[in-house]
Amino acid sequence: MGEFELIRQFFAAAPCARAGGEVVLGIGDDCALLDVPAGHQLAISTDTLVAGVHFPEQPDPFLLGQRVLAVAASDLAAMGATPIGFTLALTLPNVDPEWLRLFAEGLNRMAESCALRLIGGDTTRGPLSLTVSVLGRVPAGRALTRSGAEVGDLLCVGGPLGDAAGALPLVLGQRQADAQLADPLLARYWAPQPQLALGQALLGRATAALDISDGLLADAGHIAKASRVAINVQRDALPLSAALLAFAGLPGARACALAGGDDYVLLFSLPAAEFSALLAEGWPVTVIGNVSEGQGVYLLDEQGRPLDVDRRGYEHF
Ligand code: ADP
Ligand code: MG
């Protein structure tokens, strides 16, 4: 199968590749063409996943298709952006039609659940690697950045932490568990749900936001630095799932929540009154700390005493 037939069959013909909405022209020309509605800015983010680094060497292609788009779309959620479309740069060691069919199915599943249209890409031969760029729109000047956290704000997360990191020994085949425990954890690793609706609900409310990809403490550090504040995390307030607690125990679950990566849950700061409003609207948000004067990230015990923190999340270099 040639490059063009591959693109046509698996990507251009996918339901998520239909033009519409802001996408005036999709796959097939030299560029895609997008309308950006008046009063909006374009939000763009790129993520690369490499076999053996970001996922096992022989991944399930359906799950990989879901995951590569989910991790990219999560950046749109973190800015409060409304999804428009995405491009896919695919490097493949060989052309395996069954593998591609399943990969495209997983990709399409996540694309439809995120309302993202596939608008183009590139296809090359080499060691398996995937690059997705996502595009969204946000009302001009209102995107959620990392730099606006204010002293006195609450620090919140949009859901349980550490599940994906807890699933890693399962993903790598180092540990086994009953499906009852393993399935919910593996789902959080392979198919994280980008918190797009929550991100949009935070517009005009959150003072700073990001999506947790490198671990809570490391990512909280990005907000602290950009906002020039201290961030205090209450160890006992971390939301932990029942599956993670049963699989890893309390100390293990806490370690996953604090330093494990791959959560793709929103972390944000906001005034207390805004938090009450979010709760009243039914958003699954939890207060895990606050913002104070100073610099850096502090982990506190139930008496408010600082705890030592050794691992600060995953850094590639
Ligand atoms: P060019 O040579 O002009 O860069 P290509 O031949 O690489 O174009 O691609 C032809 C069309 O197919 C373009 O619209 C491109 O965006 C799209 N495309 C290529 N690879 C992919 C892919 N993996 N997924 C989606 N669209 C793709
Ligand atoms: Mg090309």
Side-chain angles (χ1 to χ4, degrees), residues 59-69 102-103 106-107 110 186-187 189-192:
D60 177 313
F62 180 89
L63 296 177
L64 183 63
Q66 285 197 323
R67 178 167 154 75
V68 67
L69 187 56
L102 293 166
F103 173 80
L107 189 78
M110 188 57 70
L186 285 168
Y189 178 87
W190 283 113

Side-chain angles (χ1 to χ4, degrees), residues 3-4 7 11 27-30 88 90 118 120-123:
E3 178 190 340
F4 295 112
I7 294 168
F11 299 110
I27 294 176
D29 216 307
D30 292 303
L88 169 70
L90 192 55
L118 178 57
D122 200 19
T123 307

Side-chain angles (χ1 to χ4, degrees), residues 18-105:
R18 274 193 298 266
E22 291 90 349
V23 179
V24 180
L25 182 65
I27 294 176
D29 216 307
D30 292 303
C31 289
L33 296 174
L34 306 180
D35 274 339
V36 181
H40 283 71
Q41 291 167 325
L42 201 55
I44 305 181
S45 172
T46 297
D47 278 288
T48 294
L49 299 187
V50 177
V53 178
H54 301 98
F55 57 86
E57 289 283 357
Q58 303 288 331
D60 177 313
F62 180 89
L63 296 177
L64 183 63
Q66 285 197 323
R67 178 167 154 75
V68 67
L69 187 56
V71 306
S74 181
D75 287 318
L76 293 179
M79 300 293 283
T82 299
I84 296 177
F86 69 104
T87 62
L88 169 70
L90 192 55
T91 304
L92 295 169
N94 50 41
V95 176
D96 174 347
E98 183 57 10
W99 193 97
L100 278 163
R101 187 182 67 77
L102 293 166
F103 173 80
E105 243 179 67

